[in-house]
Amino acid sequence: MLVLGIETSCDETSAALVDDVGRVHAHLILSQLKDHAAFGGVVPELAARKHLEHLPTLIARTLSEAGKNFKDLSAVAATAGPGLIGGLLVGTMMGKAIAAAHDLPFIAINHLEGHALTPRLTHRISLPYLLLLVSGGHTQILCVKGVGDYERWGTTLDDAAGECFDKAAKLMGLAYPGGPQVEKMAAQCADIESARVRFPLPHPLQARKDFNFSFSGLKTAVRQHVEALPQGALKQADVADLCASLQATIADVMAQRCARAMDRFAIEFQTDSPVLVVAGGVAANKALRTRLEQEAAAKNFRLCAPPLNLCGDNAAMIAWAGVERLRLGLTDGLDFKARPRWPLHELKKRTE
Ligand code: KG4
Ligand code: ZN
């Protein structure tokens, strides 16, 4: 079984070939970062045009790197949502066209399902597991019960964690995407404890018993700290301290919610070796990983985090989700419509 995966939901154009034993035969990711840099964020129309410009050659290169041909494929899987509609249309139309021309099954992949199933590609973990999904658009705690069977235990009530990193970074004059910049600056902080005293930040929703998040207050608190600093260019040391405080606070909030979710998971499933997975672009953050590792160990869970190159948006995870679905006979019609909004917990309806 060999599946071609296509990812175009945001600003990465990516194609990959993955088989059913989890071997990635070829994987190419073309970042549009430079194209959007001047605008301080992703411009949807521009992103769609760039996907259209690069996707055909990227797919051809992926096949030739693997020494494969369209006739070697078992199916074509393309991200069909959630994401920017222009890019989704480019990717799904391309996937459908290849499927139609070569008489292959087409599989519409939910981008979040791609992130959610990545640890099964990289670490062969078995179901069920607990998932902290943290990306630019989503912050959720999910119980992954099966392929297509995701129970949402918690979500953000406002901004996503990645969005919080990005917006706070912008307030501090850092480039987009902000998460990696904040991490880089935080590494320059000399003393994290005094940084947190200098720049205290709130821990939103801490007193509540549910698994939800809220990050917009954190962003506002960062703005207030920035405004309270002397006018003019921010000092490097101030930015480093503020970034360290922000990163530690976000890691704290996530660790606290995950700790509670692990308790619930342990009671509901009583598995021998329970796993907490962290996935999505923000999962690349090392401070967050370390914090979650400690929390997981305290609860007798194993933390599983995909390698850095598979944390961000990529087509290997889409191809793999395609493999998982194809194995279960879950394919889609060529009339499947791309969906800019497509919550993960709604997938179950399709597979029942
Ligand atoms: O999953 P992803 O690549 O795209 C979406 O589907 O949203 O996630 C992108 C998000 C951005 O907000 C980016 O700032 C954040 O992931 N991110 C990070 C790091 N690397 C990427 N946030 C914190 N620390 C990082 N090292
Ligand atoms: Zn993503």
Side-chain angles (χ1 to χ4, degrees):
M1 189 184 279
L2 185 70
V3 174
L4 168 67
I6 298 171
E7 161 61 37
T8 54
S9 67
C10 191
D11 59 342
E12 262 92 24
T13 316
S14 181
L17 285 168
V18 177
D19 68 18
D20 54 337
V21 292
R23 182 170 159 217
V24 179
H25 291 251
H27 185 199
L28 295 175
I29 306 175
L30 199 72
S31 168
Q32 300 180 1
L33 255 186
K34 284 204 200 88
D35 300 309
H36 301 280
F39 305 100
V42 179
V43 183
E45 171 67 18
L46 183 60
R49 284 171 189 270
K50 292 287 166 188
H51 288 308
L52 194 56
E53 194 180 321
H54 296 296
L55 190 57
T57 38
L58 203 74
I59 291 173
R61 273 177 52 208
T62 305
L63 284 164
S64 87
E65 272 193 18
K68 301 286 182 193
N69 207 298
F70 285 122
K71 69 173 172 17
D72 299 312
L73 298 180
S74 314
V76 185
T79 302
L84 303 173
I85 189 64
L88 294 173
L89 288 173
V90 172
T92 49
M93 288 309 286
M94 184 69 73
K96 288 174 185 177
I98 295 171
H102 300 278
D103 201 18
L104 294 165
F106 171 72
I107 311 171
I109 302 294
N110 179 301
H111 176 86
L112 303 174
E113 180 170 59
H115 282 302
L117 296 177
T118 301
R120 285 169 55 76
L121 166 67
T122 57
H123 294 74
R124 306 277 180 277
I125 64 168
S126 50
L127 300 157
Y129 52 88
L130 191 62
L131 170 69
L132 172 67
L133 181 59
V134 275
S135 70
H138 298 84
T139 304
Q140 301 181 351
I141 293 181
L142 294 141
C143 178
V144 180
K145 293 169 134 182
V147 174
D149 187 358
Y150 310 95
E151 210 172 84
R152 195 172 75 184
W153 287 4
T155 188
T156 180
L157 304 180
D158 40 56
D159 291 351
E163 208 176 343
C164 177
F165 272 115
D166 294 341
K167 288 179 176 171
K170 200 169 180 179
L171 289 168
M172 291 183 268
L174 301 173
Y176 179 87
Q181 301 296 327
V182 169
E183 179 163 25
K184 218 156 90 193
M185 289 307 295
Q188 294 178 27
C189 164
D191 178 355
I192 173 73
E193 290 316 320
S194 58
R196 295 189 80 169
V197 173
R198 258 192 94 197
F199 297 114
L201 293 169
H203 283 60
L205 308 187
Q206 194 167 23
R208 286 182 28 172
K209 292 274 173 282
D210 58 27
F211 307 98
N212 290 331
F213 300 90
S214 164
F215 290 106
S216 66
L218 255 180
K219 176 193 62 194
T220 307
V222 168
R223 172 182 291 125
Q224 285 163 350
H225 282 309
V226 169
E227 285 170 358
L229 286 166
Q231 294 279 317
L234 290 178
K235 282 212 209 85
Q236 188 92 342
D238 292 335
V239 175
D241 280 5
L242 190 46
C243 284
S245 180
L246 174 67
Q247 182 175 265
T249 303
I250 291 178
D252 272 354
V253 167
M254 288 184 179
Q256 192 233 11
R257 300 301 187 281
C258 285
R260 249 190 258 151
M262 284 188 277
D263 287 341
R264 173 173 167 186
F265 187 92
I267 293 166
E268 281 189 24
F269 296 99
Q270 299 175 1
T271 51
D272 287 339
S273 42
V275 177
L276 168 67
V277 169
V278 57
V282 181
N285 189 283
K286 287 180 214 70
L288 174 65
R289 285 178 182 231
T290 308
R291 187 78 181 73
L292 290 175
E293 227 151 46
Q294 293 163 350
E295 211 63 48
K299 299 280 179 192
N300 286 322
F301 272 61
R302 183 163 67 88
L303 179 77
C304 177
L308 294 188
N309 67 327
L310 295 181
C311 281
D313 292 345
N314 69 86
M317 70 180 189
I318 302 305
W320 175 251
V323 167
E324 295 254 37
R325 289 193 157 259
L326 190 62
R327 282 202 288 229
L328 299 172
L330 301 171
T331 60
D332 297 282
L334 294 182
D335 58 348
F336 190 96
K337 288 194 177 60
R339 300 179 58 173
R341 254 190 54 74
W342 190 8
L344 201 45
H345 60 278
E346 280 184 10
L347 283 187
K348 185 128 188 271
K349 287 182 213 139
R350 276 171 78 209
T351 57
E352 269 170 349

